[in-house]
Amino acid sequence: MSQLLSVYSPFSNELLKEIPYNTDSDLEKALQTAYGLFQDRSQWMPAHQRIELLEKVQELMKGQVEELTKLAASEGGKPYQDSKVEVLRAINGVKIAAEEIGRLTGTQIPMGLTAASTNRLAWTMREPIGVVASISAFNHPLNLIVHQTITAFAAGCPVIVKPAGTTPLSCIRFLKILEEAGIPEGWVQGLILDNELAEKLATDPRVNYLSFIGSGKVGWYLKSKLAPGTRIALEHGGTAPVIVAEDCDVSELIGPLAKGGFYHAGQVCVSVQKVFAHENIARELAEGIAQAAEKLKVGDPLSEDTEVGPLILPKEVGRIDEWVQEAVSEGAELLTGGKVLANNCYAPTVLWNPSVDSKVSQEEIFGPVICIYPYQDRAQAIQQANAVPYHFQSAVFTQNLDIALDTMQKLDANAVMVNDHTAFRVDWMPFGGRDQSGEGMGGIPYSMHEMTRTKLLVFKSKYL
């Protein structure tokens, strides 16, 4: 008898569904199917067919926005209003992927530049890399699945996806939509796997590309186990530092920083976590964010006016509270929050000047907590922002172009936002961490490029 995965609402702890785990034989069958499709070029779909199918997927999704929104909110805890934005992003992501198919092109390579290269014509082309394995995370249960499956399919790769164990329902529904759209069997497969079989999927030699979104500990471990030649994209977290210059209008910063820090209860890999503000405005900014935090409606993610929902698991609520109380005991001032609420919720929290040695300063909190640090010297603030090994997205707020340019260059991050919060993202931009925050590049066009490889063609002829 198959073991069952129980999927619970993170808010009510209601059992939403029980799903059978896939077995070792299921995994082997999926790998054989995907590998067989890739090896048999007669089954490869031409670009126009992939575009047509993805257009059908978009239309089906457009007719199910409400259903998809409620499903994502119920299993993931992201408030209804933000889950609806996610669903609309996912639909647009399918559109971006379809459009990007026509941009997977090569270039002409000049010949005749030396005597040995005469009478030749050369150019590159891009081919699908092979079988893609995607292991996903809970915090965007639909949009991440789109990023990790539709990119592969659009690039011409068979893909096997393992959704997060806490949020598999959106993935299952999306796979049904792909089936309804007519995507041929085997090109996008979903499996419910335990950790042992997930590792077996990731490290199988038939897998050419692994897309992993989740904890750094697991991601770097899987990288160490990959079969030779398997490429990888790892997307982990960061501490999202923000530098605020003295010339800023504090009133204009409070809204964006509060949104960037408390969106999805801070369970986003680029959530605003550490704000380094000039000492002349830091306290005013901190108190303003604290006041904004106290006005946020925390509660049922299915309620249309909820702004902050629950944490994904009860243990995460306990961990975040432990970190906050530890920071207070080590000298931080609690301006607001710092308490466990009903239904796995945690009060949006603002900490004033935690110790640089506290966990909230050293590690990714992944919860609704913003830390404000006053500084005198911007260079020292940048140094402190760069001091941790996690470097993903960052931000600087200033009206001075020179300060913006100087800070942009000195912040160790893959992306720097100027006068916007760190959690800004659109799905066609490059997105990924560096150092311990990840490897490879996400963003739909960039993922598709990574899921292809270059082939060089050289023609020799006496007529050239």
Side-chain angles (χ1 to χ4, degrees):
M1 185 175 180
S2 298
Q3 287 187 314
L4 296 176
L5 171 65
S6 299
V7 184
Y8 294 92
S9 160
F11 179 74
S12 66
N13 290 321
E14 171 193 359
L15 178 63
L16 300 176
K17 195 165 187 178
E18 290 186 324
I19 308 166
Y21 275 102
N22 289 104
T23 63
D24 186 76
S25 60
D26 294 332
L27 173 58
E28 177 58 28
K29 181 181 177 182
L31 284 164
Q32 286 182 5
T33 298
Y35 188 69
L37 283 173
F38 183 70
Q39 292 299 309
D40 183 1
R41 288 192 172 227
S42 68
Q43 297 193 68
W44 288 19
M45 281 176 282
H48 69 84
Q49 185 180 355
R50 281 176 275 143
I51 292 170
E52 181 182 348
L53 288 169
L54 292 180
E55 288 172 345
K56 290 180 181 178
V57 172
Q58 294 170 57
E59 291 308 309
L60 286 170
M61 293 178 75
K62 287 175 183 176
Q64 300 177 37
V65 169
E66 190 69 12
E67 176 189 344
L68 291 169
T69 297
K70 290 181 177 178
L71 185 60
S74 64
E75 68 173 338
K78 185 189 297 178
Y80 174 91
Q81 55 184 282
D82 293 324
S83 288
K84 177 165 278 190
V85 171
E86 177 185 341
V87 171
L88 296 176
R89 277 182 60 188
I91 295 170
N92 191 55
V94 178
K95 178 175 182 286
I96 295 167
E99 294 171 343
E100 195 63 27
I101 291 173
R103 302 188 185 106
L104 291 174
T105 60
T107 57
Q108 183 177 348
I109 308 300
M111 291 286 136
L113 303 181
T114 62
S117 63
T118 57
N119 303 119
R120 288 169 175 83
L121 181 66
W123 68 91
T124 61
M125 59 184 292
R126 301 206 70 82
E127 292 187 328
I129 193 171
V131 176
V132 173
S134 294
I135 298 177
S136 201
F138 78 86
N139 51 346
H140 306 288
L142 180 62
N143 200 38
L144 290 183
I145 297 298
V146 166
H147 275 254
Q148 292 182 282
T149 61
I150 292 303
T151 48
F153 175 77
C157 301
V159 56
I160 302 169
V161 62
K162 176 211 168 294
T166 48
T167 56
L169 304 182
S170 293
C171 177
I172 292 170
R173 182 68 197 110
F174 182 64
L175 294 175
K176 184 66 175 175
I177 290 173
L178 299 185
E179 181 183 335
E180 292 167 0
I183 289 182
E185 186 177 353
W187 281 95
V188 184
Q189 302 178 80
L191 296 175
I192 305 299
L193 302 175
D194 60 23
N195 291 340
E196 181 180 348
L197 289 183
E199 179 178 339
K200 190 171 182 179
L201 166 64
T203 58
D204 191 280
R206 288 166 289 188
V207 169
N208 298 84
Y209 189 92
L210 172 64
S211 170
F212 176 87
I213 303 175
S215 79
K217 180 180 179 181
V218 175
W220 295 115
Y221 167 78
L222 289 177
K223 182 184 177 182
S224 74
K225 299 290 184 178
L226 291 184
T230 301
R231 285 195 206 165
I232 192 168
L234 299 175
E235 186 181 307
H236 307 318
T239 57
V242 178
I243 307 294
V244 178
E246 184 181 8
D247 62 2
C248 290
D249 181 343
V250 170
S251 65
E252 295 181 359
L253 273 61
I254 292 168
L257 291 177
K259 179 65 176 179
F262 301 130
Y263 165 74
H264 197 9
Q267 298 171 109
V268 180
C269 55
V270 289
S271 292
V272 172
Q273 176 175 324
K274 300 198 292 187
V275 179
F276 301 90
H278 191 275
E279 62 181 4
N280 289 347
I281 61 170
R283 187 70 186 194
E284 180 187 358
L285 177 62
E287 292 176 351
I289 295 174
Q291 290 169 10
E294 290 168 356
K295 295 175 183 177
L296 294 172
K297 180 173 180 182
V298 182
D300 186 352
L302 290 175
S303 174
E304 294 189 21
D305 59 352
T306 294
E307 295 167 288
V308 180
L311 278 298
I312 190 64
L313 292 169
K315 68 177 183 180
E316 292 303 305
V317 183
R319 176 190 60 79
I320 291 164
D321 189 55
E322 181 182 313
W323 285 20
V324 169
Q325 303 312 324
E326 175 193 79
V328 172
S329 70
E330 293 172 347
E333 180 184 349
L334 180 65
L335 297 185
T336 192
K339 56 188 174 184
V340 176
L341 305 177
N343 299 99
N344 296 331
C345 294
Y346 196 79
T349 298
V350 179
L351 292 172
W352 172 259
N353 202 21
S355 165
V356 294
D357 297 319
S358 295
K359 286 190 181 73
V360 296
S361 298
Q362 290 293 318
E363 303 292 337
E364 180 186 28
I365 300 172
F366 219 61
V369 181
I370 297 176
C371 304
I372 314 291
Y373 307 82
Y375 72 83
Q376 288 182 324
D377 180 6
R378 181 169 51 88
Q380 189 175 26
I382 294 171
Q383 183 180 27
Q384 190 175 341
N386 291 339
V388 297
Y390 314 105
H391 305 123
F392 206 138
Q393 293 201 167
S394 60
V396 54
F397 285 81
T398 181
Q399 299 306 307
N400 185 304
L401 180 60
D402 289 338
I403 290 176
L405 292 172
D406 182 61
T407 306
M408 284 172 62
Q409 292 184 71
K410 291 176 179 176
L411 279 171
D412 191 357
N414 263 6
V416 182
M417 308 300 155
V418 179
N419 294 329
D420 203 353
H421 62 70
T422 57
F424 171 77
R425 183 185 184 185
V426 289
D427 296 297
W428 57 88
M429 78 185 204
F431 186 80
R434 58 172 63 170
D435 302 319
Q436 291 188 30
S437 285
E439 182 176 316
M441 193 58 64
I444 287 171
Y446 298 87
S447 292
M448 288 176 62
H449 190 272
E450 289 202 348
M451 291 174 180
T452 61
R453 50 189 170 190
T454 299
K455 176 175 280 185
L456 174 67
L457 304 176
V458 182
F459 274 71
K460 182 179 179 183
S461 170
K462 64 182 179 181
Y463 295 107
L464 291 170

